[in-house]
Amino acid sequence: MVRMSLTKIQAGGVNVTEFIKHQVAHHFGSAKEEFETAKLGMWAFLVTEILFFGALFVGYFVLKYLYPEMFIEGHHHLDWRMGGINTLFLITSSFTMVMAVRSAQTSQKKATVNYLIVTVIFALLFMVVKFFEYSGKIHHGFLPPLLFSGSGVEPTLPLFFGLYFFMTGLHGIHVLIGVGLIIWLIFKAKKGEFHEEYFTPVEMVGLYWHLVDLIWIFLFPLFYLVE
Amino acid sequence: MSDHHGSDHFIVPASTYVKTFITLLFLTVITVLAAQFDFGVLNLPIAMLIALAKAFTVAYIFMGLKWDKDVNSLALIGSAFFLFLFIILTFSDIAYRSEKDKMEKMLINMESPYSQNSTDSHHDTKAAHNSKEH
C-alpha cells in the first residue's frame, strides 16, 4: 500500500524530497477512506457549532420580537461601515483559504503557504476592526449588564449589548482560534506535509474557517443593518 | 474528475472560486443597499433571505458540498432543520402569550396554572389562596 502511493507520487511528478509522505493510519483501508472519515467527523463538529450559535440566534429573535424599540436604538449605536468592512475581510479570507486548499491539492507548496499567510492577515484585520469597535462601545459604557453605565432611551438597552457582545465575542473567539489553526498549517505546509496525496488538515481548517464566515454572514445584517 | 493522484479528489477550477468570491461581494453590496430602504415588517425577512443565499453559496462552493458525498450535506441540512424547529416552537409560545387571557375567557373553567396574579379569578383554590392573604 505504502509503495503503491509512493509510486503514484512519483508518477504525478511530485518531488518526494520536497514533500513528506503521509502514512495512512492502520485502521483505514485507504487514504480516501481516511480523508472521508475525517471530513464527516468535521461536519459533525460543524453541526454542533451551528446549533450552539443557533440557540443564540433564537435568543436574538425572541428579544427582537419582545423589544423592537430596543433593537432600533441599539442598532443606531453600531456603525454599519465597520461591520461592512469586516464582512469584506472575512469573505476575502474565505476566498484565500479555499485557494490555499486548492494549492495544497495540486502540490503547490509556495502558493499554499502564501494563501494561508494572506488568510491570517485578513483574519487579524478583522480583529483590529473589532478591537476599535469594542473599545468605542466600552468607552461609552455599553458593557453589559452590571457594568453598563451608558445612556440610552430604552431601559432594556443593556439586553441589546448583552446579545451584541456575547454573539460577536463568541464569533471573535472563533476567529482567533482560526488564526491559531492557520498559523499551525503554515508551519506544516512549509515542512512539505501537504500535497496532492494528503491535504486533510488544510481542508478541515478550511471548513471551520468557512463556518466562521458563514456565522458572520448572519451576524452582520442582524446587528448592523436591520432596523 | 482528475485521475492523476491517489485520493481522486476533484480539483475545483480556480475560476469557479473567483466567480463565487465576486458573487459573495455582490450579495454583500445588495445586503447593504437593501438596508437603506424601509420595507416595514419585511426588513428582517429580506435581510435573512439574502444572508441565506450567501450562506448557501459558501456551503455549496467554498465548503465543497457540491462535489462531496451527500451525507455531509445531510449534516448541514439536518442542523438547519432542527434550528428551524427550535425557532418555530419557541415562537409558537412567545408570539401567542398575550392572547392567553382572551383564550381563558373563551374556555369556561379553564385556567392556566401560571396565572397566579389574575384578579378576576373565581376558581376554588385561587379563592382560598386569596382569603389567606387578606
Side-chain angles (χ1 to χ4, degrees), chain B residues 4-131:
Chain B
H4 67 279
H5 61 92
S7 57
D8 69 281
H9 196 98
F10 176 60
I11 309 281
V12 181
S15 60
T16 305
Y17 287 144
V18 173
K19 278 180 212 153
T20 309
F21 178 47
I22 293 167
T23 308
L24 286 170
L25 291 180
F26 177 70
L27 285 172
T28 305
V29 173
I30 298 276
T31 317
V32 173
L33 283 181
Q36 309 304 312
F37 301 98
D38 190 13
F39 298 103
V41 284
L42 287 177
N43 277 341
L44 186 63
I46 286 173
M48 290 312 287
L49 267 183
I50 303 169
L52 279 172
K54 284 171 81 178
F56 173 80
T57 312
V58 170
Y60 198 58
I61 310 288
F62 279 180
M63 294 172 101
L65 286 178
K66 186 179 179 184
W67 306 278
D68 255 12
K69 279 182 148 185
D70 288 344
V71 67
N72 295 338
S73 302
L74 187 69
L76 180 62
I77 294 166
S79 65
F81 172 72
F82 280 102
L83 188 54
F84 174 73
L85 271 189
F86 192 0
I87 293 169
I88 292 296
L89 290 177
T90 307
F91 271 83
S92 67
D93 173 7
I94 297 285
Y96 292 99
R97 273 193 193 180
S98 56
E99 313 251 313
K100 177 182 67 75
D101 291 339
K102 208 164 50 183
M103 286 177 185
E104 273 175 9
K105 288 199 180 80
M106 280 156 56
L107 300 164
I108 302 158
N109 284 338
M110 189 168 170
E111 193 175 86
S112 163
Y114 301 106
S115 59
Q116 299 284 323
N117 301 322
S118 60
T119 48
D120 56 347
S121 161
H122 301 296
H123 202 274
D124 287 348
T125 52
K126 187 66 76 178
H129 181 72
N130 285 346
S131 62

Side-chain angles (χ1 to χ4, degrees), chain A residues 138-182:
Chain A
I138 291 166
H139 180 73
H140 287 105
F142 288 146
L143 261 184
L146 297 174
L147 299 166
F148 195 89
S149 60
S151 53
V153 183
E154 292 294 323
T156 49
L157 200 61
L159 269 181
F160 175 85
F161 281 101
L163 261 187
Y164 167 77
F165 273 105
F166 201 81
M167 291 180 85
T168 60
L170 201 62
H171 178 266
I173 290 170
H174 277 77
V175 171
L176 287 178
I177 292 170
V179 167
L181 288 170
I182 296 165

